């Protein structure tokens, strides 16, 4: 089950005169829209297609330490939902778009890369996360977004690496999520983008 996007309901009523969509729209006596019923309903189905790509490299151990690189990407080729209409079904492909109520974005490409350096009792890493731009129903573009995370881990040798101290900062560049005018609540899509601001943490771990 899923809620039909309000913009889709409006366009199906206005452009296709779909009776089910028009019935979900409530108007005031002077003709203004006062409410759109977006309750959960059975959908005809979801068809999705994509490609996942992964590449990993780790260097031999050298006097300068060990270096690693990990690449992961997802290419979305199709994400189509079919909803019941007065006659048959209507299908919408959300690839490369974002929608509000409920918020959900479908970028054509998402990827992340991790570069790490390991030497002795210390390990440092940088993670870059990239989200390709998407468009709202009115054509407004949510720009490409890049997040960077850094992490440093120390493991004292005299404790046989049982104790680990990790310090990190997510969104080190303080990248704000792109504004989404069709989204409800915080005016951005929290299912795809980070909460605004940097996030720092310290973690102490112990393993037997």
């Amino acid at each position: 089950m899923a809620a039909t996007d309000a913009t889709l309901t409006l366009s199906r009523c206005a452009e296709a005169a779909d009776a089910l969509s028009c019935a979900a729209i409530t108007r005031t006596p002077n003709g203004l829209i006062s409410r759109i019923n977006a309750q959960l309903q059975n959908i005809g189905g979801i068809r999705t297609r994509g490609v996942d790509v992964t590449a990993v490299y780790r260097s031999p151990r050298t006097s300068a330490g060990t270096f690693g690189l990990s690449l992961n990407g997802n290419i979305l080729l199709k994400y189509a939902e079919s909803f019941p209409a007065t006659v048959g079904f209507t299908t919408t492909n959300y690839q490369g778009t974002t929608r509000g109520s409920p918020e959900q974005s479908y970028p054509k490409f998402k990827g992340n890369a991790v570069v790490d350096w390991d030497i002795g009792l210390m390990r440092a890493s940088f993670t870059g996360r990239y989200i390709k731009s998407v468009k709202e129903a009115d054509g407004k573009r949510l720009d490409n977004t890049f997040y960077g995370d850094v992490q440093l881990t120390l493991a004292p040798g005299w404790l046989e690496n049982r104790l680990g101290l990790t310090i990190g900062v997510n969104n080190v560049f303080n990248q704000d999520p792109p504004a989404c005018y069709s989204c409800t609540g915080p005016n951005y899509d929290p299912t795809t983008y980070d909460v605004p601001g940097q996030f720092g943490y310290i973690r102490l771990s112990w393993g037997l």
Side-chain angles (χ1 to χ4, degrees):
M1 300 186 72
T4 305
D5 183 79
T7 303
L8 178 61
T9 299
L10 285 172
S11 64
R12 283 164 52 182
C13 177
E15 298 172 9
D18 178 64
L20 290 178
S21 299
C22 294
I25 302 172
T26 302
R27 296 180 180 272
T28 61
N30 59 2
L32 297 177
I33 296 174
S34 61
R35 186 171 69 91
I36 298 177
N37 185 357
Q39 67 183 15
L40 295 177
Q41 60 175 305
N42 290 322
I43 62 176
I46 297 175
R47 291 182 178 273
T48 182
R49 185 168 68 250
V51 178
D52 293 325
V53 180
T54 301
V56 178
Y57 170 78
R58 191 138 202 94
S59 74
R61 184 170 297 278
T62 68
S63 58
T66 303
F67 298 86
L69 174 64
S70 174
L71 302 173
N72 295 278
N74 174 261
I75 303 171
L76 182 64
L77 302 175
K78 179 180 181 180
Y79 191 98
E81 286 187 2
S82 298
F83 288 89
T86 304
V87 178
F89 293 88
T90 182
T91 301
T92 302
N93 186 9
Y94 290 104
Q95 180 208 32
T97 69
T98 188
R99 60 175 177 175
S101 187
E103 292 88 351
Q104 185 69 56
S105 298
Y106 307 88
K108 294 181 180 179
F109 177 78
K110 291 194 300 182
N112 64 70
V114 181
V115 179
D116 67 85
W117 172 55
D118 192 336
I119 183 169
L121 308 178
M122 181 176 67
R123 181 178 184 181
S125 67
F126 174 83
T127 301
R129 296 177 284 131
Y130 174 81
I131 304 170
K132 186 175 175 57
S133 64
V134 293
K135 289 184 178 181
E136 295 187 67
D138 61 1
K140 180 188 176 296
R141 183 172 180 264
L142 279 63
D143 291 335
N144 301 327
T145 304
F146 180 81
Y147 294 107
D149 308 328
V150 294
Q151 188 178 88
L152 177 66
T153 299
L154 301 173
W158 54 273
L159 284 173
E160 299 178 348
N161 294 328
R162 292 180 179 177
L163 179 67
L165 174 65
T166 301
I167 303 173
V169 178
N170 290 349
N171 192 15
V172 68
F173 302 126
N174 200 23
Q175 172 69 54
D176 287 331
C180 171
Y181 295 103
S182 62
C183 295
T184 57
N187 294 324
Y188 74 95
D189 176 11
T191 67
T192 304
Y193 304 95
D194 287 9
V195 173
Q198 297 173 321
F199 175 77
Y201 59 91
I202 298 176
R203 181 171 66 242
L204 189 65
S205 58
W206 173 264
L208 299 177

